[in-house]
Amino acid sequence: AQSVAQPEDQVNVAEGNPLTVKCTYSVSGNPYLFWYVQYPNRGLQFLLKYITGDNLVKGSYGFEAEFNKSQTSFHLKKPSALVSDSALYFCAVSADSSYKLIFGSGTRLLVRP
Amino acid sequence: NAGVTQTPKFRVLKTGQSMTLLCAQDMNHEYMYWYRQDPGMGLRLIHYSVGEGTTAKGEVPDGYNVSRLKKQNFLLGLESAAPSQTSVYFCASSGGGSHEQYFGPGTRLTVT
């Protein structure tokens, strides 16, 4: 069965510092991996995806993620955090032809000034 | 383009009442999905559709029904609401090939 784990409920960083939000996955086939962000009282917004190719994926708002097949991880990173990055982040995986997503439980990112 | 829209935005039901949530997309997407979001549990798939006239069960389908009579619309029905169905409901659509899903703004449902 497919699953996604986000081991941290919350990540706290200072503005200007690098940030990492962790994600590990379990699928039986080739994974399609995604990161989404949710601001308060809003729907989810797509940040980036890994389908195939380069293991380092660049996305919206300066975010990037590194696919590591041996560690089955897809951590979200940003070199310099902004206060406006504070939000709820979800990792998701898809591995079949229906394209349905399995989501992690979410990680709340808090960037302090 | 409006993208994915959901109606209503908020609703309060009494136990046993019924209601229908409407999702509409104007991106000509084949695939549509209904999720529920509960604190600490991420989003869980209720039902989905891979094309007009087709529906399938997701992870938590019990107590819900869906219909996809038109390609642009995906309806989620609760026949007899229960307090356990208090949640935020999100609809999403996808073009399939590119995989990413586009989400609506959500419907906050409270069942008392």
Side-chain angles (χ1 to χ4, degrees):
Chain A
Q2 302 172 57
S3 65
V4 177
Q6 292 182 244
E8 302 154 316
D9 290 336
Q10 182 160 316
V11 170
N12 299 308
V13 298
E15 188 173 32
N17 282 0
L19 69 87
T20 298
V21 182
K22 295 180 180 177
C23 172
T24 59
Y25 66 89
S26 174
V27 298
S28 56
N30 291 321
Y32 302 128
L33 295 156
F34 303 82
W35 277 101
Y36 285 83
V37 60
Q38 185 181 32
Y39 297 100
N41 301 314
R42 303 285 295 275
L44 276 69
Q45 296 178 29
F46 169 75
L47 275 181
L48 51 79
K49 66 181 178 183
Y50 172 82
I51 303 296
T52 187
D54 195 348
N55 289 344
L56 185 63
V57 178
K58 294 189 183 298
S60 306
Y61 313 121
F63 284 93
E64 58 189 28
E66 186 169 12
F67 171 65
N68 188 317
K69 188 172 183 178
S70 62
Q71 297 185 4
T72 62
S73 67
F74 190 57
H75 301 331
L76 181 70
K77 300 181 180 184
K78 188 174 183 181
S80 179
L82 299 172
V83 172
S84 57
D85 292 330
S86 297
L88 187 57
Y89 290 80
F90 290 98
C91 181
V93 65
S94 172
D96 66 34
S97 59
S98 71
Y99 307 109
K100 56 184 184 286
L101 294 175
I102 304 297
F103 283 87
S105 55
T107 298
R108 189 165 301 279
L109 174 66
L110 181 61
V111 182
R112 59 185 185 276
Chain B
N1 288 347
V4 180
T5 58
Q6 294 182 232
T7 53
K9 288 184 169 50
F10 304 93
R11 186 73 186 269
V12 178
L13 289 178
K14 295 186 187 302
T15 297
Q17 288 184 318
S18 63
M19 78 163 292
T20 300
L21 282 66
L22 171 63
C23 176
Q25 52 95 4
D26 60 4
M27 295 173 282
N28 201 34
H29 283 167
E30 288 292 334
Y31 299 78
M32 296 187 75
Y33 310 85
W34 275 107
Y35 295 91
R36 59 177 289 172
Q37 182 180 23
D38 301 292
M41 301 187 74
L43 278 76
R44 292 180 293 169
L45 183 65
I46 304 171
H47 286 280
Y48 64 101
S49 169
V50 300
E52 182 179 322
T54 72
T55 63
K57 294 180 180 180
E59 182 185 359
V60 288
D62 294 343
Y64 305 95
N65 57 76
V66 288
S67 65
R68 184 101 181 265
L69 298 180
K70 293 182 178 181
K71 186 177 184 178
Q72 64 267 35
N73 295 336
F74 195 29
L75 279 62
L76 178 71
L78 286 73
E79 291 184 346
S80 179
S84 61
Q85 294 177 305
T86 293
S87 189
V88 181
Y89 291 85
F90 288 101
C91 176
S93 71
S94 169
S98 62
H99 293 261
E100 66 254 36
Q101 295 181 14
Y102 296 84
F103 283 79
T107 295
R108 186 173 295 275
L109 175 66
T110 301
V111 183
T112 61

